[in-house]
Amino acid sequence: MLSVLFPWSRGSNNGQVEPAPEPHLGASPEPVISPLRQMLDAVNMTILPHDVRVSCIAQACDFFDHRDRVAHDSELREGAANVLLQKLAFALHLNCEDEEHVNRNGSGGYRYGGTDAIVAHRARGRAAVMPSPGGGTDGEQEIAMIASCLEMVHRASPEAIAASFEEVGTEALPLMVAVMERPFRRYVFNL
């Protein structure tokens, strides 16, 4: 493992660096990583900045938007639902934090896209509370894209969906409820 990260090794010959051995001609080639695994790794590792994370989620939406049930079964087996639920939890956390910040700064309620949200954004340097052209905030659109990706990967067979639910279903339910409650909370607080 370390030889992959450090292509040289330190021997016991007084700290001198020894070059790594040359690969043999008959050595097996490096394993090929599937496009699915590459996509899941990219989604999993892309955290900040916000624009890069949203761009990666948009690419995932394009990748998962198909009607091949066998491919969706494979996506669930590879852990697509787990990765997407992790991103959903992260996005919900960031947006709840932004809502609380706007509320604490005297807006009197959750005023998405109002002047208080814009001031809060400029003060904190975050894009998550900025209104976006399609309606809602960038954070709300990110949450919607992640939810869409989750719907797409669950276009799988009932057996694959059941296996996925057995793995993370009970822990995923509160996240899904939080997503479904967001429009209602927004409506109640903006009355």
Side-chain angles (χ1 to χ4, degrees):
M1 173 70 180
L2 291 178
S3 64
V4 172
L5 297 174
F6 306 104
W8 44 267
S9 62
R10 293 194 182 268
S12 60
N13 46 354
N14 298 329
Q16 294 178 341
V17 176
E18 296 177 12
E22 293 293 322
H24 300 297
L25 294 175
S28 62
E30 291 195 24
V32 177
I33 300 173
S34 72
L36 170 61
R37 185 76 259 161
Q38 289 175 358
M39 176 56 67
L40 293 177
D41 288 346
V43 170
N44 192 35
M45 291 186 283
T46 306
I47 299 170
L48 295 173
H50 177 262
D51 294 340
V52 174
R53 184 176 68 247
V54 170
S55 173
C56 187
I57 293 168
Q59 290 175 3
C61 283
D62 290 340
F63 186 86
F64 295 131
D65 191 13
H66 56 83
R67 298 288 178 181
D68 185 353
R69 186 171 280 191
V70 174
H72 287 304
D73 288 355
S74 176
E75 292 162 4
L76 287 178
R77 275 193 308 275
E78 281 287 324
N82 300 359
V83 170
L84 292 168
L85 286 167
Q86 177 189 34
K87 284 297 166 201
L88 182 62
F90 183 69
L92 285 170
H93 173 74
L94 287 179
N95 282 283
C96 288
E97 188 177 281
D98 288 331
E99 290 171 5
E100 291 169 9
H101 179 77
V102 170
N103 196 31
R104 279 194 308 263
N105 283 328
S107 70
Y110 294 99
R111 291 185 50 201
Y112 296 93
T115 55
D116 294 327
I118 294 169
V119 170
H121 162 72
R122 289 183 182 146
R124 295 176 354 136
R126 287 217 176 135
V129 293
M130 285 299 291
S132 56
T137 63
D138 286 347
E140 289 171 332
Q141 289 184 345
E142 178 182 8
I143 290 168
M145 283 194 304
I146 296 168
S148 293
C149 281
L150 278 165
E151 179 274 325
M152 291 173 197
V153 299
H154 284 91
R155 294 175 187 166
S157 67
E159 296 82 18
I161 293 170
S164 175
F165 186 81
E166 286 293 322
E167 190 173 340
V168 294
T170 56
E171 287 139 7
L173 287 177
L175 290 175
M176 301 313 294
V177 168
V179 169
M180 290 185 284
E181 286 179 340
R182 290 181 66 79
F184 299 109
R185 282 189 309 180
R186 184 175 173 191
Y187 175 75
V188 168
F189 285 119
N190 284 327
L191 286 179

